[in-house]
Amino acid sequence: MAKDSRPKSAAVRKEKKGPTSGSGGQGRRKLAGKGPTPKAEDRVYHKAYRQKQLAERADAKRAAQQPRVRGSGRGADDVVAGRNAVVEALAEQVPSVEMRVATDIEYDGRVREALQRCAEQGIRVKEVGRRQLDSFTGDAVHQGVALVLEPYEYADPHDLLRDELERAQKGHVAHPPLFVACDSITDPRNLGAILRAAAAFGASGVVVPERRSAGMTATAWKTSAGAAARVPVAQAKNLTQMLKDAQEQGYFVAGLDGGGDASLPGLKLADEPLVLVVGSEGKGLSRLVSETCDTIVSIPIAGSTESLNASMAVGISLYEISTLREGGRQ
């Protein structure tokens, strides 16, 4: 048999055990996109992953229970922070749940006054660490003291208007019911001033929308000068629908606007069950609310003045209505 004349280099080589030169690319597809090894807390089978989940849930629960802080950008004034602000809120007897004081606080006249008022009003006092107070107040400038406000309980507008109308029909009150409805009043100081005017001139209550409206915050309580404790505030889900319901019950709805078809002096509806609607100083009454009103009333003012502040317009109107009602009884 003829001898194989091929060179040895051409001979078929047996495969070597273990990796050969260039074998690192054979598993490239399997390794592509996997990146570095994940941290222990990111591996679902690791105990650190479970601990991380529990910590996140605890943080979310604390955040949900965290009161919103006055001046912190969170929204409503559920917490008043700072020595002067706390003393002022307590002086106005804003309904409060608790006052929190830093354990290392330096006592001065304001802190002592706040503690005395808490004792007189039956408000509990709790000492907490400064870091805990920082977290609780959203890092506001609390000066070692913060006041937790009690959530305001709004009345139901339908029930409030109906009950007042029934009282008037039974002769339990001297005049027909008179309410003030706020359309797009977003400044709590305006709401507080409106409450003060309502209390001064015998209004039965104030109605605010549920959304895009000022609510009963510490600022509103303070501006009302205690009137918020005497005049009920109702919250309507839909102000336009609430006004229509009031009309069905027997109320007349009068909107305040500079270009009204009726003048405030000598208002003919003064002796009727009445809902007086006021809009914001800039935009006035919204279109749907304006269309719902039975009449639009204007207040005569000097030509050099463009408009009146909402609370001022309410105060003038309520005074005129009160005067007309008293004059009608004589």
Side-chain angles (χ1 to χ4, degrees):
M1 186 170 66
K3 215 176 201 184
D4 189 355
S5 59
R6 291 179 299 176
K8 289 184 179 181
S9 61
V12 177
R13 298 175 183 175
K14 295 181 180 180
E15 294 182 357
K16 294 181 180 180
K17 295 182 179 180
T20 58
S21 177
S23 63
Q26 293 178 4
R28 185 173 298 169
R29 291 183 180 178
K30 295 180 180 180
L31 295 175
K34 292 191 175 180
T37 303
K39 296 178 181 179
E41 61 184 18
D42 295 330
R43 303 179 208 167
V44 294
Y45 53 82
H46 202 284
K47 65 177 183 180
Y49 177 81
R50 177 62 177 168
Q51 293 174 349
K52 180 183 177 183
Q53 279 193 321
L54 293 174
E56 288 177 348
R57 290 175 185 173
D59 290 342
K61 186 175 180 180
R62 282 194 296 270
Q65 296 174 346
Q66 179 79 12
R68 291 170 290 181
V69 183
R70 180 183 180 186
S72 68
R74 292 186 176 185
D77 299 4
D78 297 334
V79 173
V80 178
R83 300 187 182 190
N84 285 335
V86 167
V87 170
E88 289 174 1
L90 290 170
E92 296 297 337
Q93 297 188 352
V94 176
S96 306
V97 177
E98 178 182 83
M99 187 174 75
R100 298 193 178 187
V101 181
T103 52
D104 60 348
I105 191 172
E106 294 183 5
Y107 287 84
D108 62 4
R110 293 170 298 175
V111 176
R112 294 189 185 93
E113 182 181 353
L115 291 171
Q116 182 179 352
R117 289 187 181 276
C118 284
E120 293 171 351
Q121 298 176 29
I123 300 170
R124 64 176 177 264
V125 178
K126 181 179 180 180
E127 284 192 342
V128 296
R130 189 166 288 272
R131 291 186 63 182
Q132 185 178 351
L133 195 59
D134 291 340
S135 176
F136 179 73
T137 59
D139 293 323
V141 183
H142 53 72
Q143 298 174 306
V145 62
L147 186 67
V148 185
L149 303 188
E150 182 178 324
Y152 186 84
E153 293 185 8
Y154 293 95
D156 179 85
H158 181 83
D159 294 343
L160 185 60
L161 269 68
R162 181 198 59 207
D163 293 345
E164 285 299 313
L165 192 59
E166 290 179 354
R167 290 181 63 207
Q169 291 171 347
K170 293 177 181 179
H172 294 168
V173 290
H175 300 290
L178 171 63
F179 286 88
V180 178
C182 300
D183 181 20
S184 304
I185 302 295
T186 56
D187 189 342
R189 290 169 296 186
N190 260 338
L191 177 58
I194 288 171
L195 281 165
R196 192 170 183 177
F201 299 114
S204 307
V206 174
V207 182
V208 297
E210 192 174 273
R211 298 189 302 167
R212 294 186 291 275
S213 173
M216 286 307 301
T217 63
T219 303
W221 271 97
K222 178 183 175 183
T223 311
S224 75
R230 304 189 299 273
V231 179
V233 179
Q235 197 173 59
K237 291 184 177 180
N238 186 306
L239 184 61
T240 303
Q241 186 58 51
M242 187 281 298
L243 294 175
K244 292 179 180 178
D245 292 342
Q247 288 169 330
E248 291 179 0
Q249 291 186 39
Y251 285 85
F252 287 91
V253 177
L256 290 176
D257 192 88
D261 51 16
S263 182
L264 178 64
L267 182 65
K268 295 181 179 179
L269 295 176
D271 286 325
E272 301 291 343
L274 188 63
V275 178
L276 191 67
V277 190
V278 60
S280 63
E281 183 177 351
K283 298 180 180 180
L285 299 174
S286 62
R287 180 182 59 84
L288 290 177
V289 168
S290 181
E291 293 174 354
T292 305
C293 293
D294 296 300
T295 184
I296 303 296
V297 182
S298 61
I299 302 173
I301 57 177
S304 58
T305 305
E306 293 183 1
S307 63
L308 294 173
N309 175 273
S311 59
M312 184 180 294
V314 169
I316 294 171
S317 302
L318 292 179
Y319 170 76
E320 177 65 16
I321 293 170
S322 174
T323 302
L324 292 172
R325 287 184 169 186
E326 291 298 329
R329 293 183 62 191
Q330 296 175 358

